[in-house]
Amino acid sequence: MTIPKNNDKTIKILQLAENKVKTLTGNSDWFGGITSLAFSPDGKTLISGIQDKTIKLWNLETSQEISTLSGHSDHICSLAYSPNGQIFASASKDKTVKLWSVASGAEISSVKCTDSIIYSIAFSPDGKILAAGSGDTTITLFPIA
């Protein structure tokens, strides 16, 4: 279970089996709080979306930040890893969905979905479709090559 705290620049990971809390601390001056989190399928990496329009990748074994990714022009609303863990998707108040390479951190593609904010995204179990839920009550399905 992961619990973001409001505007204190930390992510708390509750390790129930060990009865302890691991803290991930950002070293940037975040504007606002953490808006979305997603674990990699292997459980070794966490991605966090932040109101400052960035995405951070975290190594959960070392509690260290791996990288910070930029590309959205408004804050991140939702994040999702593909089932194979090689790519992840981000959705933003800028009304776009972006695909990212986990290995390189490079943006693979970007699509403006609708004229409404995309609040939620999810991959199909086989990773071949990405669903995006928008504020205009529509769901858009994107085939993933």
Side-chain angles (χ1 to χ4, degrees):
M1 173 190 255
T2 305
I3 301 171
K5 295 190 87 173
N6 290 335
N7 300 330
D8 74 352
K9 306 177 190 179
T10 66
I11 298 169
K12 305 284 187 194
I13 309 227
L14 307 176
Q15 297 174 308
L16 297 177
E18 293 89 23
N19 196 27
K20 64 180 182 176
V21 176
K22 182 184 282 190
T23 302
L24 308 178
T25 304
N27 55 13
S28 66
D29 200 16
W30 296 350
F31 175 74
I34 298 163
T35 56
S36 184
L37 298 165
F39 284 99
S40 63
D42 66 7
K44 295 181 180 180
T45 307
L46 179 74
I47 48 178
S48 60
I50 307 162
Q51 283 183 345
D52 73 356
K53 309 170 199 167
T54 64
I55 299 164
K56 292 188 182 290
L57 282 80
W58 301 90
N59 180 317
L60 290 175
E61 293 173 354
T62 65
S63 300
Q64 297 299 308
E65 182 182 323
I66 298 168
S67 60
T68 299
L69 309 178
S70 298
H72 283 288
S73 62
D74 208 331
H75 84 255
I76 311 304
C77 295
S78 185
L79 297 165
Y81 265 99
S82 66
N84 68 12
Q86 295 177 356
I87 63 172
F88 70 89
S90 59
S92 169
K93 283 186 79 173
D94 66 10
K95 303 174 186 173
T96 63
V97 170
K98 295 181 182 290
L99 294 180
W100 305 83
S101 166
V102 172
S104 68
E107 182 182 315
I108 298 169
S109 63
S110 179
V111 176
K112 182 164 181 166
C113 291
T114 64
D115 289 329
S116 185
I117 297 168
I118 299 114
Y119 287 104
S120 182
I121 51 176
F123 280 93
S124 62
D126 64 4
K128 294 181 180 179
I129 298 173
L130 181 71
S134 300
D136 64 2
T137 70
T138 62
I139 296 172
T140 306
L141 302 178
F142 298 98
I144 305 296

